[in-house]
Amino acid sequence: MNIGIAVNYFKRIYSEVTELSRQTGYNRFYHLWDYLTAFVRHGAHIDQYIAGGFWSYSNPQRSKCLTHYRRLALEKKYNNPADVHYFKNKPEFNRFFSDFVHRGWLWIREATFEEFKAFLERYRTVIVKPMDGKQGDGIRKLDFVDDEAELHRVFDALVKENVIVEELIVQHPEMVFGNKSVNTIRVLTACRPDGKARIMKAFLRAGVGDTLVDNTATGGYYYEVDLEHGIVSSEGISKDGTRVFIHPQTDIVMLGFKVPLWDQVVKMCVDAAGRLPRVALVGWDVAISQDHVQLIEGNNSADYIGYEFVGSNGYYEKIKAFMEP
């Protein structure tokens, strides 16, 4: 980290702990010292300290939590770099987990113009995903146009951009919450070297408004899902730490919501995790349609926010207990 970045980060810390002190009544310098202690002793990021409520935890609680730097250490230990390419490359992921991917797709740099045109003619409207996009950046819809010259122009532009185009997913009607994104389930799994896998945590990602993605970076909310029954068991949380029981822009009370086809979600994610045990810690994004579930993608560096900010916590201890019985 260079000096400029470090100075800006410290300014952010000072600003945010000052605002936190207004809410808690504690002196800002208490929170500043406490945060620096939490960072040094536990590897907590400022987002976890404030939005994740880490400031309110006792030291015994903090020692059990999956922080940013503890997550990196676990991934370094359990996720073999030789195999993470399956998660970093969308076409490789779709091929390797093809029986869990139930949609048409096309990697534009492997396709001819004729194949691209036929794909658009078949599906009429598709989703465009940049190969190196993060947090939904660059994802958009593309409609078929009956104009050869225009299609050539679009094709050439997409080849330069390097994208994958996919069939639209028609999600289960119960998974629609007044927004335009496909609302997914993030399922966090751990897998031992012998292939024995377990779901450690799951949460429903509910988008807000017109965005095509459902993550918190675009305004979405996360709600923990009870693993045994597939029922939302916590309030929702946004990127800035706002907590709600009613989904924004709707009157839907999310607490107690039953995720459809939950048994299928569980089986698919456990099977997928066991298929590649050398990447032991994975966050799977699952879409649910009327009569089946499917993988959208897998993340070999799963967001620790989902583990610790939403509902239950203490996942550093829980993951180690499973991986090192």
Side-chain angles (χ1 to χ4, degrees), residues 72-96:
L72 294 178
L74 288 176
E75 289 169 358
K76 182 178 181 180
K77 182 175 183 178
Y78 293 118
N79 286 1
N80 191 312
D83 288 334
V84 299
H85 60 92
Y86 290 108
F87 299 97
K88 293 182 177 297
N89 183 287
K90 290 179 173 63
E92 279 196 68
F93 179 88
N94 286 358
R95 292 188 185 106
F96 190 81

Side-chain angles (χ1 to χ4, degrees), residues 81-280:
D83 288 334
V84 299
H85 60 92
Y86 290 108
F87 299 97
K88 293 182 177 297
N89 183 287
K90 290 179 173 63
E92 279 196 68
F93 179 88
N94 286 358
R95 292 188 185 106
F96 190 81
F97 295 102
S98 60
D99 48 331
F100 304 132
V101 177
H102 306 298
R103 60 191 179 276
W105 63 276
L106 194 71
W107 182 20
I108 202 72
R109 288 192 175 174
E110 284 186 338
T112 65
F113 171 75
E114 288 72 22
E115 290 170 331
F116 169 70
K117 179 182 177 182
F119 189 86
L120 272 182
E121 282 184 312
R122 178 179 180 183
Y123 295 114
R124 311 306 290 183
T125 300
V126 299
I127 288 287
V128 176
K129 297 180 179 179
M131 288 283 287
D132 57 355
K134 295 181 179 180
Q135 295 188 325
D137 289 344
I139 292 180
R140 61 208 185 262
K141 289 184 178 180
L142 175 65
D143 296 321
F144 173 76
V145 291
D146 193 12
D147 183 322
E148 192 87 355
E150 176 63 12
L151 283 179
H152 268 290
R153 187 195 67 77
V154 170
F155 176 74
D156 292 341
L158 293 179
V159 169
K160 290 180 181 178
E161 188 181 352
N162 191 19
V163 302
I164 184 171
V165 291
E166 297 187 343
E167 174 189 1
L168 287 177
I169 292 173
V170 179
Q171 63 184 336
H172 195 290
E174 293 178 15
M175 291 292 291
V176 178
F177 306 114
N179 62 304
K180 292 188 177 180
S181 69
V182 172
N183 300 301
T184 59
I185 308 297
R186 169 64 64 87
V187 179
L188 299 156
T189 59
C191 187
R192 295 175 187 161
D194 62 1
K196 179 177 175 57
R198 174 183 294 177
I199 295 176
M200 305 303 299
K201 189 169 186 176
F203 52 93
L204 168 64
R205 310 199 311 176
V208 173
D210 294 335
T211 179
L212 294 179
V213 291
D214 58 359
N215 57 38
T216 57
T218 57
Y221 282 75
Y222 294 171
Y223 304 82
E224 184 174 9
V225 176
D226 172 76
L227 298 183
E228 183 177 357
H229 303 102
I231 294 173
V232 170
S233 58
S234 78
E235 61 190 353
I237 187 170
S238 68
K239 183 179 180 179
D240 65 3
T242 301
R243 297 173 185 269
V244 298
F245 285 104
I246 298 176
H247 182 262
Q249 299 182 340
T250 73
D251 59 357
I252 300 172
V253 178
M254 299 300 291
L255 189 65
F257 171 79
K258 179 73 168 68
V259 176
L261 306 183
W262 179 247
D263 289 345
Q264 289 188 35
V265 173
V266 170
K267 184 179 186 308
M268 178 179 67
C269 291
V270 169
D271 289 348
R275 182 170 296 182
L276 204 60
R278 294 207 306 171
V279 185

Side-chain angles (χ1 to χ4, degrees), residues 280-291:
L281 304 176
V282 178
W284 309 94
D285 291 342
V286 179
I288 303 175
S289 296
Q290 182 68 51
D291 58 0

Side-chain angles (χ1 to χ4, degrees), residues 20-34:
L20 179 63
S21 72
R22 295 193 186 102
Q23 300 172 23
T24 66
Y26 293 114
N27 185 283
R28 76 182 70 180
F29 294 105
Y30 161 77
H31 277 307
L32 182 60
W33 177 255
D34 186 52

